[in-house]
Each structure stands twice: as C-alpha cells, then as structure tokens.
Amino acid sequence: MTESSERAVEPDAGAATPGRTAAVPPPDPRPTRRHRFDRAALRADLRAAVPDATAALVVTALIYAWLYARVQSGTSATLAVMPFLADADTYWMYWLCQAFGWSALLWSWITLVLGLVRSSARPAPLRVPAARVERWHRTTSLTTMGLMFAHAFLFFAELVRDNGDELAWPGRLTSAFTDTFVPGGYTSGTGRLAILIGLLAFYLAVPLGLAYYLRRSTGGRTWRALHRFIVVVYVLSVWHTLLYGTNVWYDGTFRTLVWLLQLPVAALFLARLLAPARRGDRLGPPPRRTAPRHPFPYALPYALRLAARLAAAATLVVLLAVPATGRDGGRTPDGEATAPGVEPGTVWAGLAVLCVTVAITAYRTRPRATARTGTTSRTGEASRTGEASRTGEAAGPS
C-alpha cells in the first residue's frame, strides 16, 4: 500500500476505533445567551399563586356580598355621599370595583408584612423556612397586582356603562380610559388627587414588583435596593383608600380600623430596621475589604439608616395617637367637605423626587466591572444571591 493510500484509509481523528473513544468537540467559545427576564421563575410563581389568587377572589366575593347587603339595608356610608348608588343591581360594577379595591389593599398589607418578616432577623418562634416566606411574598405580590388591575378595570367599565356625557362609543371609551388609566386625567372633585395617587401606586407596583425577575441583568444588590421602594406603593395605596374610599370618608369605626391595621406594618418596619437579617443593612459600618477612598466612608449610609429608624419610630407614635385622639382625618356627615391639604402638583413633585432617588439608587448599586477581565461581576453576585437564599440569608425582598 502506498503512502497516499495509507493516508486515504487513515481513520479520522474524531472517529471511534477499537480501544479508542471518540474525541469530544471543543466547547463553543461563544457565551450561552441567557434571558434577562427570568421567565421560568415567573411561570413557577404564577402557578404557585393560583391558590392564593383563588383565596383572594373568594374574599372579594365575600366583601362584595357584604357591601351589597349594606346598600340594600341602607346602612352603607357611601349612600350619604352618592345616594343614586342605592340601586345596587344597576351599579353592580361599581360595588364590585369597591370590593376588589378592599381585597387589593388587604393583599398588599399581607405582601408587605411577609416581606418585612423575610428581611428581618427571624425570631425563634417562627418555624417557617425563609425560602417559603419569600415564595409567599412573591405570590401574594403577583395576586395584589392582579387585584389592583381588576379594581381599575371595573371602574373603567362602570364609566363606560354609565356614559354620563352621552358620548358615542369611540368617545365613551376614550373618555373612560383617560379618567381611569391616565394619571391626572380625572379632573373632578376629590378624584383629582385620589385617582392620581391610586394610579401612581399601581404603575409603581408593576416594575418594582417584577424587579425580582430581572435580577440576572440588574444584579441582586440593585434588585434588593429597588424593591425596598415598594413601601412607597403601599403608603400611596392606603392614602388613596382613606382619601377616596366612600365607605371610610366619615369618622367612625371602619376608618379607625384601617388606621389600626397600619400599626403592625409600622412595628415590623421598625423591627426590620433595628434587626435586619442582612449584615450590610445594620446601623454600624459594614466590613470593608479595601481601604476607604475618603476619610468618612460610612457617614452617609449611617446617617440614612439612622434617619430611617427615627422616621419609623415617629410613624409608629403617630399611628398610636390617631385612634387615641380620634383625629383620623375623616369627614363629619353634617360638616362641610374640606379640600385635601395636598394638591396634584405636590404629588407630581414628589414623584419626580422619587424617580431621581430610584435612579441614583440603581446607579450606585449597579454591578461593577472587575479590574482584570473588564466584565461585570453580575454572575458572581447572582451566585452569591442564590447561595444566600439557600443558606437562609436575607437575599429576598425587603
């Protein structure tokens, strides 16, 4: 056999021969593309939220039945404000909107309580694993967003049905959509402020609530920092209820109960600040691996954490004083309606400050580039976040 024929029958380098295994192809140098949005986790949480959402619908139905019974008996405080709503069968969408609003507020209360418990140092009697509390927090958060949307959509449907301006269908839909879903679009009475606040709460709840599923691209540190602003959403939701909920317009037991329900939230928030689960959130200076760049590296974080603790303590005192003094900001049935002390322009200015604060927070907590490779430390941070979650460290929502 000639040399050329020997080369012709020589087996391929990657082929399998007796006593020899096939060569493994070299790995693809191109990085595997990962979705920035964690769809798998969202799908899993949506499936886990089915029992929770079912319970929320049952509670909403019970609240609707209770509101309907009060209208039929003439004991609803809403009838003193809008007597025409006494026809509960005609205005059933309005009353169902009210029921979804109350269940949304209840579920947002539950979500915030679970988040505060998850991010605080767990007391000894709490036997529930931290991972389970975090899962409950995420599922109730998804349910809350659904309830908030149902609350707004039914208000939109009621405006379309009522059609007080007697518009044609295109104008009817456009007008109802503007009044319901465009911030500042509703320009009548107390709704100028109350609906604006409610819409801002809803539009802030969606990105802040779904920030968990973007942690691959933002990094765990940024996600945790942004997720803490969800407290603002809850405050806006309670403010919207006290300002526009016709069942709690007037002084009385029901309005006082809404105030009293904020006491556990304020107490848990203060406890979370005083004894956070994460070491880096404690009041003292966090450990540093490198030398500080300036002489007072901990002054600003220390001042902010101290101010937050003082503000939480002051809020708790105010919440205790409200039921004790009976001054809960409600109206009196025989007195004249007073205009809110805050104008929509003030709310817009506060929103601008909040957006700037969120942007600064996202910038300061962004994943940093490593010195040697020039790539972001996002993967390492994500792995640390996953490891913290497995070991029970508070890498979850605040």
Side-chain angles (χ1 to χ4, degrees):
M1 184 180 294
T2 63
E3 182 179 359
S4 60
S5 62
E6 289 178 358
R7 286 198 299 265
V9 298
E10 184 178 357
D12 182 60
T17 57
R20 178 183 174 188
T21 58
V24 179
D28 190 353
R30 295 173 298 178
T32 303
R33 182 180 179 182
R34 300 179 63 188
H35 293 290
R36 292 180 178 269
F37 192 83
D38 195 347
R39 301 175 185 175
L42 178 59
R43 286 194 296 266
D45 287 343
L46 286 173
R47 288 192 297 268
V50 171
D52 178 72
T54 304
L57 292 177
V58 172
V59 171
T60 303
L62 294 175
I63 295 175
Y64 173 75
W66 179 68
L67 294 174
Y68 185 91
R70 285 173 58 85
V71 172
Q72 293 295 90
S73 63
T75 58
S76 174
T78 302
L79 301 182
V81 183
M82 294 177 286
F84 61 90
L85 290 176
D87 188 358
D89 294 326
T90 300
Y91 294 95
W92 65 271
M93 282 189 291
Y94 174 84
W95 293 111
L96 188 57
C97 165
Q98 292 288 305
F100 270 106
W102 284 110
S103 60
L105 183 64
L106 175 61
W107 248 253
S108 64
W109 184 90
I110 295 172
T111 301
L112 187 59
V113 167
L114 290 172
L116 292 172
V117 171
R118 172 66 181 91
S119 57
S120 303
R122 290 188 300 164
L126 186 60
R127 302 292 184 180
V128 182
R132 185 177 302 175
V133 176
E134 184 177 339
R135 171 61 67 87
W136 290 345
H137 174 71
R138 295 201 306 269
T139 55
T140 54
S141 175
L142 294 173
T143 301
T144 301
M145 285 186 277
L147 294 172
M148 294 174 73
F149 174 78
H151 173 61
F153 180 80
L154 282 166
F155 185 72
F156 163 78
E158 173 58 32
L159 292 180
V160 172
R161 185 207 63 80
D162 184 61
N163 191 22
D165 296 331
E166 298 182 356
L167 302 173
W169 272 104
R172 180 188 303 190
L173 294 173
T174 302
S175 176
F177 181 85
T178 301
D179 288 343
T180 306
F181 292 107
V182 177
Y186 196 93
T187 58
S188 175
T190 310
R192 292 176 57 247
L193 179 64
I195 292 183
L196 170 63
I197 293 172
L199 282 176
L200 293 181
F202 176 58
Y203 290 142
L204 288 172
V206 174
L208 293 177
L210 298 179
Y212 171 80
Y213 307 100
L214 283 170
R215 67 196 185 282
R216 288 177 177 174
S217 57
T218 62
R221 185 164 173 250
T222 301
W223 158 63
R224 287 191 299 270
L226 294 180
H227 192 69
R228 290 167 185 167
F229 289 97
I230 207 71
V231 176
V232 177
V233 174
Y234 180 75
V235 172
L236 292 176
S237 300
V238 175
W239 190 9
H240 166 78
T241 302
L242 293 174
L243 192 62
Y244 209 52
T246 51
N247 289 286
V248 293
W249 267 24
Y250 299 124
D251 294 318
T253 305
F254 199 25
R255 186 180 181 92
T256 303
L257 179 62
V258 174
W259 280 98
L260 289 175
L261 283 175
Q262 312 317 313
L263 283 172
V265 174
L268 284 172
F269 187 64
L270 181 60
R272 184 253 182 267
L273 293 174
L274 294 176
R278 289 182 55 82
R279 185 178 180 183
D281 294 336
R282 296 172 187 173
L283 190 60
R288 300 274 304 218
R289 296 182 180 179
T290 58
R293 298 179 181 178
H294 46 87
F296 302 104
Y298 311 122
L300 181 59
Y302 185 91
L304 292 176
R305 289 169 184 155
L306 180 60
R309 285 156 174 77
L310 294 176
T315 302
L316 188 59
V317 172
V318 171
L319 291 175
L320 288 171
V322 167
T325 60
R327 300 178 62 87
D328 54 11
R331 313 179 188 191
T332 56
D334 299 330
E336 295 182 359
T338 58
V342 178
E343 292 294 327
T346 307
V347 176
W348 285 113
L351 178 64
V353 173
L354 176 65
C355 291
V356 171
T357 304
V358 170
I360 294 174
T361 302
Y363 177 78
R364 288 180 60 87
T365 59
R366 71 193 188 281
R368 303 299 177 90
T370 59
R372 286 185 298 176
T373 61
T375 59
T376 60
S377 57
R378 189 177 303 152
T379 304
E381 186 173 5
S383 64
R384 289 194 300 271
T385 303
E387 182 65 26
S389 179
R390 287 193 295 270
T391 58
E393 186 182 352
S398 59

